[in-house]
């Protein structure tokens, strides 16, 4: 009867009620232990919807895999707005600092195609363009050109 359950939970705020409780109830796992581990692993995504996969065995053992929220959700959370611009080329809804952009790129790096933080930041900047978010007052495309020109090499230097 081993199986897998996939749910979307609020980061750090999972509880034994729906959607987890009804899914885990018929399984041999300790629901409270699962909830506690999910909350520990998703605490960094405070309040954001986070995809979680729970694999369990017949003996009650379980494993949890936490996904990363969509890039747009990370940007919205970091910049403090709820919805992107309907006209992202003309009406901007928020502005990120380079440090905020770098933080998002680092959080999302495991899900991106980029091989380093500098290129991950360029991918995040591309999402900023579609949401109507500027980076230090600049359009995301201009910011990406400045990254390519080396203007932010110190900021995105790999440790």
């Amino acid at each position: 009867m081993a199986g897998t359950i996939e749910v979307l939970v609020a980061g750090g705020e999972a509880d034994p009620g729906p959607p987890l409780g009804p899914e885990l109830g018929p399984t041999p796992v300790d629901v409270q232990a699962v909830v506690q581990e999910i909350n520990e692993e998703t605490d960094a995504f405070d309040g954001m919807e986070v995809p979680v996969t729970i694999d369990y065995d017949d003996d009650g053992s379980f494993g949890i895999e936490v996904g990363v929220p969509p890039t747009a959700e990370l940007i919205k959370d970091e910049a403090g707005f709820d919805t992107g611009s309907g006209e992202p080329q003309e009406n901007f809804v928020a502005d990120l600092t380079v440090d905020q952009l770098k933080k998002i790129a680092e959080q999302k790096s495991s899900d991106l195609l980029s091989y380093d933080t500098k290129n991950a930041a360029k991918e995040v900047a591309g999402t900023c363009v579609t949401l109507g978010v500027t980076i230090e007052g600049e359009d995301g495309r201009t910011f990406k050109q400045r990254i390519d020109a080396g203007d932010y090499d110190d900021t995105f230097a790999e440790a």
Side-chain angles (χ1 to χ4, degrees), residues 71 104-106 108-115 119-121 123-124:
T71 305
I104 295 166
E106 288 169 345
K108 194 68 181 168
S109 64
S110 64
D111 282 358
L112 298 176
L113 300 174
S114 303
Y115 52 87
N119 285 296
E123 286 190 49
V124 173

Side-chain angles (χ1 to χ4, degrees), residues 67-98:
V68 179
T71 305
E73 290 300 315
L74 294 172
I75 292 169
K76 287 188 229 178
D77 183 65
E78 190 66 33
F81 67 95
D82 292 327
T83 186
S85 173
E87 299 174 329
Q89 309 306 318
E90 299 169 22
N91 298 321
F92 301 107
V93 294
D95 186 58
L96 291 176
T97 66
V98 173

Side-chain angles (χ1 to χ4, degrees), residues 58 65 79 99 109-110 151-152:
D58 292 333
E65 185 178 319
D99 288 335
S109 64
S110 64
D151 292 358
Y152 295 100

Side-chain angles (χ1 to χ4, degrees), residues 75 92 95-105 117-129 133-156:
I75 292 169
F92 301 107
D95 186 58
L96 291 176
T97 66
V98 173
D99 288 335
Q100 288 175 307
L101 184 86
K102 181 179 179 183
K103 176 183 171 187
I104 295 166
T117 306
K118 180 178 172 180
N119 285 296
K122 288 167 53 179
E123 286 190 49
V124 173
T127 303
C128 286
V129 170
V133 174
T134 55
I135 301 135
E136 297 202 345
E138 295 181 324
D139 178 82
R141 291 181 192 90
T142 306
F143 180 77
K144 287 170 30 173
Q145 290 169 350
R146 289 189 60 200
I147 287 178
D148 287 338
D151 292 358
Y152 295 100
D153 284 354
D154 290 344
T155 304
F156 295 107

Side-chain angles (χ1 to χ4, degrees), residues 34-51:
V34 172
V35 168
Q36 183 176 350
E37 189 170 330
I38 288 173
N39 284 335
E40 288 170 5
E41 291 193 29
T42 62
D43 197 40
F45 300 114
D46 185 36
M48 277 188 279
E49 294 292 304
V50 182

